[in-house]
Amino acid sequence: MAKYFDVHPENPQPRTIRSVADSIRAGELVAYPTDSCYALGCQLGNRDGINRIRSIRNLDDRHHFTLVCHDFAQLGQFVQLDNKVFRAIKAATPGSYTFILPATKEVPRQLLHPKKKTVGVRIPDHVVAQALVAELGEPLLSSTLLLPDQEEPMTQGWEIKERLDHVVDAVIDSGECGTVPTTVVDFSDGEAEIVRRGAGDTSRFE
């Protein structure tokens, strides 16, 4: 049965955030809110967590996982950025964007696209997600919580707890979340290619 954390959307309780971070460090899989929609998250090197996300979402090995980062300093440890791409991404973060970039050696191999050796990264504009990643001290390995039989993600923490009670370990509820996933921009070749139009404004990349 999944633990249920009721978190204030604007002033997340530090003790609760610490409890969730401890759960993640202990190898648990959590459902948590972001500035686009709910996501599934686990610790970076958690192979079992990665396999559980794949199973819950029915994903193949070509799926780009996302490293949800607290700030640019953290993001820069895990992806390669030239000055032009750095400026473009910096201007759009924090926000509802996922950027696909060449990964550094800090990224576990099982997270990389098998051919491109790329990974998704993002810095969310969401108080609770930011608090969690800050407390964790490292990026949170994430994937949008969109189930194979659903057209839109679930928006309520209690609804997720009810549906996924036996396949996730914890659910953070900080109020209703959105239904539109992030906009995905692929910068792996140095130029912006919009892969998915979502919650983030695409005009700056066109």
Side-chain angles (χ1 to χ4, degrees), residues 142-172:
S142 292
S143 181
T144 302
L145 206 178
L146 180 62
L147 301 180
D149 62 346
Q150 293 182 323
E151 291 187 7
E152 288 190 341
M154 290 177 281
T155 62
Q156 304 276 0
W158 63 265
E159 180 186 20
I160 292 167
K161 162 88 162 106
E162 200 171 80
R163 176 77 186 267
L164 301 181
D165 205 22
H166 298 290
V167 293
V168 301
D169 301 303
V171 177
I172 298 178

PDB file of all heavy atoms in Angstrom, residues 142-172:
ATOM      1  N   SER A 142      12.710  10.632 -13.778  1.00  0.00           N
ATOM      2  CA  SER A 142      11.267  10.786 -13.905  1.00  0.00           C
ATOM      3  C   SER A 142      10.723  10.395 -15.269  1.00  0.00           C
ATOM      4  O   SER A 142      11.452  10.350 -16.272  1.00  0.00           O
ATOM      5  CB  SER A 142      10.875  12.250 -13.645  1.00  0.00           C
ATOM      6  OG  SER A 142      11.074  12.598 -12.305  1.00  0.00           O
ATOM      7  N   SER A 143       9.422  10.149 -15.263  1.00  0.00           N
ATOM      8  CA  SER A 143       8.665   9.921 -16.492  1.00  0.00           C
ATOM      9  C   SER A 143       7.226  10.358 -16.233  1.00  0.00           C
ATOM     10  O   SER A 143       6.703  10.160 -15.129  1.00  0.00           O
ATOM     11  CB  SER A 143       8.700   8.433 -16.879  1.00  0.00           C
ATOM     12  OG  SER A 143       7.996   8.204 -18.087  1.00  0.00           O
ATOM     13  N   THR A 144       6.605  10.980 -17.223  1.00  0.00           N
ATOM     14  CA  THR A 144       5.213  11.418 -17.082  1.00  0.00           C
ATOM     15  C   THR A 144       4.320  10.266 -16.636  1.00  0.00           C
ATOM     16  O   THR A 144       4.422   9.156 -17.147  1.00  0.00           O
ATOM     17  CB  THR A 144       4.696  11.961 -18.433  1.00  0.00           C
ATOM     18  OG1 THR A 144       5.527  13.031 -18.857  1.00  0.00           O
ATOM     19  CG2 THR A 144       3.263  12.460 -18.313  1.00  0.00           C
ATOM     20  N   LEU A 145       3.429  10.547 -15.692  1.00  0.00           N
ATOM     21  CA  LEU A 145       2.526   9.500 -15.218  1.00  0.00           C
ATOM     22  C   LEU A 145       1.314   9.432 -16.144  1.00  0.00           C
ATOM     23  O   LEU A 145       0.245   9.962 -15.856  1.00  0.00           O
ATOM     24  CB  LEU A 145       2.080   9.772 -13.775  1.00  0.00           C
ATOM     25  CG  LEU A 145       1.676   8.565 -12.934  1.00  0.00           C
ATOM     26  CD1 LEU A 145       1.305   8.989 -11.523  1.00  0.00           C
ATOM     27  CD2 LEU A 145       0.555   7.752 -13.544  1.00  0.00           C
ATOM     28  N   LEU A 146       1.533   8.779 -17.269  1.00  0.00           N
ATOM     29  CA  LEU A 146       0.449   8.555 -18.236  1.00  0.00           C
ATOM     30  C   LEU A 146       0.353   7.060 -18.474  1.00  0.00           C
ATOM     31  O   LEU A 146       1.272   6.441 -18.997  1.00  0.00           O
ATOM     32  CB  LEU A 146       0.748   9.293 -19.548  1.00  0.00           C
ATOM     33  CG  LEU A 146      -0.302   9.157 -20.647  1.00  0.00           C
ATOM     34  CD1 LEU A 146      -1.639   9.736 -20.192  1.00  0.00           C
ATOM     35  CD2 LEU A 146       0.161   9.853 -21.915  1.00  0.00           C
ATOM     36  N   LEU A 147      -0.766   6.481 -18.050  1.00  0.00           N
ATOM     37  CA  LEU A 147      -0.926   5.035 -18.146  1.00  0.00           C
ATOM     38  C   LEU A 147      -1.297   4.619 -19.571  1.00  0.00           C
ATOM     39  O   LEU A 147      -1.901   5.404 -20.326  1.00  0.00           O
ATOM     40  CB  LEU A 147      -1.998   4.564 -17.165  1.00  0.00           C
ATOM     41  CG  LEU A 147      -1.726   4.889 -15.684  1.00  0.00           C
ATOM     42  CD1 LEU A 147      -2.852   4.364 -14.804  1.00  0.00           C
ATOM     43  CD2 LEU A 147      -0.385   4.332 -15.236  1.00  0.00           C
ATOM     44  N   PRO A 148      -0.957   3.404 -19.966  1.00  0.00           N
ATOM     45  CA  PRO A 148      -1.192   2.959 -21.348  1.00  0.00           C
ATOM     46  C   PRO A 148      -2.651   3.047 -21.790  1.00  0.00           C
ATOM     47  O   PRO A 148      -2.930   3.254 -22.966  1.00  0.00           O
ATOM     48  CB  PRO A 148      -0.723   1.494 -21.330  1.00  0.00           C
ATOM     49  CG  PRO A 148       0.215   1.393 -20.188  1.00  0.00           C
ATOM     50  CD  PRO A 148      -0.264   2.369 -19.168  1.00  0.00           C
ATOM     51  N   ASP A 149      -3.590   2.899 -20.841  1.00  0.00           N
ATOM     52  CA  ASP A 149      -5.009   2.903 -21.210  1.00  0.00           C
ATOM     53  C   ASP A 149      -5.655   4.277 -21.056  1.00  0.00           C
ATOM     54  O   ASP A 149      -6.869   4.421 -21.144  1.00  0.00           O
ATOM     55  CB  ASP A 149      -5.777   1.874 -20.364  1.00  0.00           C
ATOM     56  CG  ASP A 149      -5.729   2.184 -18.869  1.00  0.00           C
ATOM     57  OD1 ASP A 149      -4.901   3.020 -18.463  1.00  0.00           O
ATOM     58  OD2 ASP A 149      -6.519   1.584 -18.115  1.00  0.00           O
ATOM     59  N   GLN A 150      -4.855   5.313 -20.828  1.00  0.00           N
ATOM     60  CA  GLN A 150      -5.385   6.657 -20.616  1.00  0.00           C
ATOM     61  C   GLN A 150      -4.930   7.617 -21.712  1.00  0.00           C
ATOM     62  O   GLN A 150      -3.802   7.534 -22.187  1.00  0.00           O
ATOM     63  CB  GLN A 150      -4.929   7.217 -19.263  1.00  0.00           C
ATOM     64  CG  GLN A 150      -5.512   6.495 -18.058  1.00  0.00           C
ATOM     65  CD  GLN A 150      -5.039   7.140 -16.758  1.00  0.00           C
ATOM     66  OE1 GLN A 150      -3.900   7.575 -16.648  1.00  0.00           O
ATOM     67  NE2 GLN A 150      -5.915   7.198 -15.782  1.00  0.00           N
ATOM     68  N   GLU A 151      -5.830   8.524 -22.077  1.00  0.00           N
ATOM     69  CA  GLU A 151      -5.473   9.565 -23.043  1.00  0.00           C
ATOM     70  C   GLU A 151      -4.870  10.783 -22.346  1.00  0.00           C
ATOM     71  O   GLU A 151      -4.084  11.525 -22.937  1.00  0.00           O
ATOM     72  CB  GLU A 151      -6.701   9.983 -23.852  1.00  0.00           C
ATOM     73  CG  GLU A 151      -7.195   8.893 -24.810  1.00  0.00           C
ATOM     74  CD  GLU A 151      -8.309   9.391 -25.707  1.00  0.00           C
ATOM     75  OE1 GLU A 151      -8.603  10.605 -25.679  1.00  0.00           O
ATOM     76  OE2 GLU A 151      -8.878   8.571 -26.449  1.00  0.00           O
ATOM     77  N   GLU A 152      -5.263  11.007 -21.084  1.00  0.00           N
ATOM     78  CA  GLU A 152      -4.733  12.123 -20.318  1.00  0.00           C
ATOM     79  C   GLU A 152      -4.248  11.637 -18.964  1.00  0.00           C
ATOM     80  O   GLU A 152      -4.787  10.675 -18.408  1.00  0.00           O
ATOM     81  CB  GLU A 152      -5.809  13.204 -20.096  1.00  0.00           C
ATOM     82  CG  GLU A 152      -6.155  14.000 -21.341  1.00  0.00           C
ATOM     83  CD  GLU A 152      -7.032  15.200 -20.994  1.00  0.00           C
ATOM     84  OE1 GLU A 152      -7.644  15.210 -19.903  1.00  0.00           O
ATOM     85  OE2 GLU A 152      -7.107  16.128 -21.814  1.00  0.00           O
ATOM     86  N   PRO A 153      -3.224  12.285 -18.399  1.00  0.00           N
ATOM     87  CA  PRO A 153      -2.746  11.905 -17.069  1.00  0.00           C
ATOM     88  C   PRO A 153      -3.805  12.183 -16.001  1.00  0.00           C
ATOM     89  O   PRO A 153      -4.664  13.058 -16.173  1.00  0.00           O
ATOM     90  CB  PRO A 153      -1.523  12.813 -16.853  1.00  0.00           C
ATOM     91  CG  PRO A 153      -1.144  13.306 -18.201  1.00  0.00           C
ATOM     92  CD  PRO A 153      -2.412  13.362 -18.987  1.00  0.00           C
ATOM     93  N   MET A 154      -3.734  11.456 -14.906  1.00  0.00           N
ATOM     94  CA  MET A 154      -4.590  11.742 -13.758  1.00  0.00           C
ATOM     95  C   MET A 154      -4.130  13.037 -13.106  1.00  0.00           C
ATOM     96  O   MET A 154      -2.947  13.368 -13.112  1.00  0.00           O
ATOM     97  CB  MET A 154      -4.525  10.583 -12.758  1.00  0.00           C
ATOM     98  CG  MET A 154      -5.210   9.317 -13.245  1.00  0.00           C
ATOM     99  SD  MET A 154      -5.043   7.919 -12.091  1.00  0.00           S
ATOM    100  CE  MET A 154      -3.372   7.393 -12.474  1.00  0.00           C
ATOM    101  N   THR A 155      -5.070  13.786 -12.528  1.00  0.00           N
ATOM    102  CA  THR A 155      -4.757  15.123 -12.021  1.00  0.00           C
ATOM    103  C   THR A 155      -4.789  15.225 -10.499  1.00  0.00           C
ATOM    104  O   THR A 155      -4.352  16.221  -9.935  1.00  0.00           O
ATOM    105  CB  THR A 155      -5.750  16.161 -12.579  1.00  0.00           C
ATOM    106  OG1 THR A 155      -7.075  15.830 -12.134  1.00  0.00           O
ATOM    107  CG2 THR A 155      -5.708  16.195 -14.094  1.00  0.00           C
ATOM    108  N   GLN A 156      -5.331  14.220  -9.821  1.00  0.00           N
ATOM    109  CA  GLN A 156      -5.507  14.293  -8.383  1.00  0.00           C
ATOM    110  C   GLN A 156      -4.663  13.240  -7.667  1.00  0.00           C
ATOM    111  O   GLN A 156      -4.641  12.076  -8.072  1.00  0.00           O
ATOM    112  CB  GLN A 156      -6.990  14.053  -8.027  1.00  0.00           C
ATOM    113  CG  GLN A 156      -7.961  14.999  -8.706  1.00  0.00           C
ATOM    114  CD  GLN A 156      -8.091  16.317  -7.950  1.00  0.00           C
ATOM    115  OE1 GLN A 156      -7.447  16.512  -6.925  1.00  0.00           O
ATOM    116  NE2 GLN A 156      -8.917  17.215  -8.454  1.00  0.00           N
ATOM    117  N   GLY A 157      -4.021  13.654  -6.569  1.00  0.00           N
ATOM    118  CA  GLY A 157      -3.210  12.729  -5.810  1.00  0.00           C
ATOM    119  C   GLY A 157      -3.986  11.540  -5.272  1.00  0.00           C
ATOM    120  O   GLY A 157      -3.530  10.395  -5.336  1.00  0.00           O
ATOM    121  N   TRP A 158      -5.198  11.788  -4.745  1.00  0.00           N
ATOM    122  CA  TRP A 158      -5.998  10.697  -4.184  1.00  0.00           C
ATOM    123  C   TRP A 158      -6.393   9.686  -5.262  1.00  0.00           C
ATOM    124  O   TRP A 158      -6.475   8.478  -5.007  1.00  0.00           O
ATOM    125  CB  TRP A 158      -7.246  11.250  -3.485  1.00  0.00           C
ATOM    126  CG  TRP A 158      -8.209  11.965  -4.389  1.00  0.00           C
ATOM    127  CD1 TRP A 158      -8.275  13.306  -4.615  1.00  0.00           C
ATOM    128  CD2 TRP A 158      -9.230  11.370  -5.195  1.00  0.00           C
ATOM    129  NE1 TRP A 158      -9.268  13.600  -5.524  1.00  0.00           N
ATOM    130  CE2 TRP A 158      -9.877  12.426  -5.892  1.00  0.00           C
ATOM    131  CE3 TRP A 158      -9.663  10.067  -5.400  1.00  0.00           C
ATOM    132  CZ2 TRP A 158     -10.929  12.202  -6.771  1.00  0.00           C
ATOM    133  CZ3 TRP A 158     -10.718   9.843  -6.282  1.00  0.00           C
ATOM    134  CH2 TRP A 158     -11.338  10.905  -6.961  1.00  0.00           C
ATOM    135  N   GLU A 159      -6.628  10.198  -6.469  1.00  0.00           N
ATOM    136  CA  GLU A 159      -6.999   9.339  -7.594  1.00  0.00           C
ATOM    137  C   GLU A 159      -5.833   8.420  -7.966  1.00  0.00           C
ATOM    138  O   GLU A 159      -6.018   7.225  -8.240  1.00  0.00           O
ATOM    139  CB  GLU A 159      -7.384  10.247  -8.773  1.00  0.00           C
ATOM    140  CG  GLU A 159      -7.806   9.522 -10.031  1.00  0.00           C
ATOM    141  CD  GLU A 159      -8.034  10.493 -11.187  1.00  0.00           C
ATOM    142  OE1 GLU A 159      -7.527  11.638 -11.145  1.00  0.00           O
ATOM    143  OE2 GLU A 159      -8.710  10.088 -12.136  1.00  0.00           O
ATOM    144  N   ILE A 160      -4.628   8.979  -7.946  1.00  0.00           N
ATOM    145  CA  ILE A 160      -3.427   8.191  -8.248  1.00  0.00           C
ATOM    146  C   ILE A 160      -3.198   7.142  -7.168  1.00  0.00           C
ATOM    147  O   ILE A 160      -2.885   5.988  -7.450  1.00  0.00           O
ATOM    148  CB  ILE A 160      -2.214   9.125  -8.388  1.00  0.00           C
ATOM    149  CG1 ILE A 160      -2.373   9.994  -9.642  1.00  0.00           C
ATOM    150  CG2 ILE A 160      -0.911   8.327  -8.455  1.00  0.00           C
ATOM    151  CD1 ILE A 160      -1.423  11.154  -9.725  1.00  0.00           C
ATOM    152  N   LYS A 161      -3.381   7.557  -5.903  1.00  0.00           N
ATOM    153  CA  LYS A 161      -3.238   6.620  -4.780  1.00  0.00           C
ATOM    154  C   LYS A 161      -4.202   5.442  -4.929  1.00  0.00           C
ATOM    155  O   LYS A 161      -3.842   4.282  -4.740  1.00  0.00           O
ATOM    156  CB  LYS A 161      -3.495   7.377  -3.480  1.00  0.00           C
ATOM    157  CG  LYS A 161      -3.812   6.524  -2.264  1.00  0.00           C
ATOM    158  CD  LYS A 161      -2.546   6.105  -1.556  1.00  0.00           C
ATOM    159  CE  LYS A 161      -2.832   5.642  -0.135  1.00  0.00           C
ATOM    160  NZ  LYS A 161      -2.759   4.220   0.068  1.00  0.00           N
ATOM    161  N   GLU A 162      -5.424   5.756  -5.332  1.00  0.00           N
ATOM    162  CA  GLU A 162      -6.457   4.718  -5.491  1.00  0.00           C
ATOM    163  C   GLU A 162      -6.118   3.769  -6.630  1.00  0.00           C
ATOM    164  O   GLU A 162      -6.243   2.550  -6.515  1.00  0.00           O
ATOM    165  CB  GLU A 162      -7.805   5.404  -5.755  1.00  0.00           C
ATOM    166  CG  GLU A 162      -9.012   4.554  -5.470  1.00  0.00           C
ATOM    167  CD  GLU A 162     -10.291   5.387  -5.544  1.00  0.00           C
ATOM    168  OE1 GLU A 162     -10.773   5.630  -6.674  1.00  0.00           O
ATOM    169  OE2 GLU A 162     -10.788   5.815  -4.491  1.00  0.00           O
ATOM    170  N   ARG A 163      -5.642   4.327  -7.739  1.00  0.00           N
ATOM    171  CA  ARG A 163      -5.392   3.528  -8.941  1.00  0.00           C
ATOM    172  C   ARG A 163      -4.075   2.743  -8.863  1.00  0.00           C
ATOM    173  O   ARG A 163      -3.987   1.606  -9.333  1.00  0.00           O
ATOM    174  CB  ARG A 163      -5.379   4.464 -10.160  1.00  0.00           C
ATOM    175  CG  ARG A 163      -5.035   3.789 -11.490  1.00  0.00           C
ATOM    176  CD  ARG A 163      -6.210   3.009 -12.044  1.00  0.00           C
ATOM    177  NE  ARG A 163      -5.827   2.264 -13.221  1.00  0.00           N
ATOM    178  CZ  ARG A 163      -5.965   2.717 -14.479  1.00  0.00           C
ATOM    179  NH1 ARG A 163      -6.481   3.911 -14.709  1.00  0.00           N
ATOM    180  NH2 ARG A 163      -5.603   1.959 -15.499  1.00  0.00           N
ATOM    181  N   LEU A 164      -3.045   3.366  -8.271  1.00  0.00           N
ATOM    182  CA  LEU A 164      -1.704   2.776  -8.303  1.00  0.00           C
ATOM    183  C   LEU A 164      -1.208   2.340  -6.921  1.00  0.00           C
ATOM    184  O   LEU A 164      -0.007   2.199  -6.699  1.00  0.00           O
ATOM    185  CB  LEU A 164      -0.711   3.778  -8.905  1.00  0.00           C
ATOM    186  CG  LEU A 164      -1.004   4.253 -10.327  1.00  0.00           C
ATOM    187  CD1 LEU A 164       0.069   5.216 -10.793  1.00  0.00           C
ATOM    188  CD2 LEU A 164      -1.104   3.079 -11.294  1.00  0.00           C
ATOM    189  N   ASP A 165      -2.137   2.104  -6.027  1.00  0.00           N
ATOM    190  CA  ASP A 165      -1.795   1.826  -4.630  1.00  0.00           C
ATOM    191  C   ASP A 165      -0.783   0.694  -4.453  1.00  0.00           C
ATOM    192  O   ASP A 165       0.032   0.724  -3.539  1.00  0.00           O
ATOM    193  CB  ASP A 165      -3.078   1.481  -3.858  1.00  0.00           C
ATOM    194  CG  ASP A 165      -2.944   1.764  -2.377  1.00  0.00           C
ATOM    195  OD1 ASP A 165      -2.088   2.577  -2.004  1.00  0.00           O
ATOM    196  OD2 ASP A 165      -3.700   1.175  -1.586  1.00  0.00           O
ATOM    197  N   HIS A 166      -0.820  -0.295  -5.324  1.00  0.00           N
ATOM    198  CA  HIS A 166       0.034  -1.465  -5.148  1.00  0.00           C
ATOM    199  C   HIS A 166       1.219  -1.504  -6.121  1.00  0.00           C
ATOM    200  O   HIS A 166       1.969  -2.481  -6.124  1.00  0.00           O
ATOM    201  CB  HIS A 166      -0.793  -2.750  -5.287  1.00  0.00           C
ATOM    202  CG  HIS A 166      -1.874  -2.849  -4.240  1.00  0.00           C
ATOM    203  ND1 HIS A 166      -1.596  -3.061  -2.910  1.00  0.00           N
ATOM    204  CD2 HIS A 166      -3.214  -2.744  -4.329  1.00  0.00           C
ATOM    205  CE1 HIS A 166      -2.719  -3.097  -2.218  1.00  0.00           C
ATOM    206  NE2 HIS A 166      -3.720  -2.898  -3.060  1.00  0.00           N
ATOM    207  N   VAL A 167       1.391  -0.434  -6.926  1.00  0.00           N
ATOM    208  CA  VAL A 167       2.527  -0.430  -7.865  1.00  0.00           C
ATOM    209  C   VAL A 167       3.484   0.735  -7.642  1.00  0.00           C
ATOM    210  O   VAL A 167       4.586   0.751  -8.188  1.00  0.00           O
ATOM    211  CB  VAL A 167       2.064  -0.454  -9.345  1.00  0.00           C
ATOM    212  CG1 VAL A 167       1.394  -1.771  -9.675  1.00  0.00           C
ATOM    213  CG2 VAL A 167       1.165   0.724  -9.662  1.00  0.00           C
ATOM    214  N   VAL A 168       3.071   1.734  -6.838  1.00  0.00           N
ATOM    215  CA  VAL A 168       4.011   2.769  -6.406  1.00  0.00           C
ATOM    216  C   VAL A 168       4.123   2.696  -4.887  1.00  0.00           C
ATOM    217  O   VAL A 168       3.293   2.091  -4.216  1.00  0.00           O
ATOM    218  CB  VAL A 168       3.580   4.198  -6.850  1.00  0.00           C
ATOM    219  CG1 VAL A 168       3.472   4.281  -8.366  1.00  0.00           C
ATOM    220  CG2 VAL A 168       2.287   4.628  -6.179  1.00  0.00           C
ATOM    221  N   ASP A 169       5.168   3.319  -4.345  1.00  0.00           N
ATOM    222  CA  ASP A 169       5.413   3.251  -2.904  1.00  0.00           C
ATOM    223  C   ASP A 169       4.915   4.479  -2.156  1.00  0.00           C
ATOM    224  O   ASP A 169       4.682   4.426  -0.949  1.00  0.00           O
ATOM    225  CB  ASP A 169       6.907   3.077  -2.637  1.00  0.00           C
ATOM    226  CG  ASP A 169       7.446   1.812  -3.288  1.00  0.00           C
ATOM    227  OD1 ASP A 169       6.922   0.721  -2.992  1.00  0.00           O
ATOM    228  OD2 ASP A 169       8.388   1.922  -4.106  1.00  0.00           O
ATOM    229  N   ALA A 170       4.770   5.601  -2.869  1.00  0.00           N
ATOM    230  CA  ALA A 170       4.342   6.840  -2.214  1.00  0.00           C
ATOM    231  C   ALA A 170       3.702   7.775  -3.233  1.00  0.00           C
ATOM    232  O   ALA A 170       4.059   7.761  -4.420  1.00  0.00           O
ATOM    233  CB  ALA A 170       5.529   7.536  -1.540  1.00  0.00           C
ATOM    234  N   VAL A 171       2.758   8.591  -2.755  1.00  0.00           N
ATOM    235  CA  VAL A 171       2.087   9.599  -3.588  1.00  0.00           C
ATOM    236  C   VAL A 171       2.140  10.928  -2.849  1.00  0.00           C
ATOM    237  O   VAL A 171       1.791  11.013  -1.667  1.00  0.00           O
ATOM    238  CB  VAL A 171       0.619   9.226  -3.866  1.00  0.00           C
ATOM    239  CG1 VAL A 171      -0.071  10.326  -4.662  1.00  0.00           C
ATOM    240  CG2 VAL A 171       0.516   7.892  -4.600  1.00  0.00           C
ATOM    241  N   ILE A 172       2.597  11.976  -3.538  1.00  0.00           N
ATOM    242  CA  ILE A 172       2.552  13.336  -2.998  1.00  0.00           C
ATOM    243  C   ILE A 172       1.326  14.031  -3.565  1.00  0.00           C
ATOM    244  O   ILE A 172       1.146  14.100  -4.784  1.00  0.00           O
ATOM    245  CB  ILE A 172       3.801  14.150  -3.382  1.00  0.00           C
ATOM    246  CG1 ILE A 172       5.068  13.518  -2.820  1.00  0.00           C
ATOM    247  CG2 ILE A 172       3.675  15.591  -2.878  1.00  0.00           C
ATOM    248  CD1 ILE A 172       6.333  14.260  -3.220  1.00  0.00           C
TER     249      ILE A 172
END
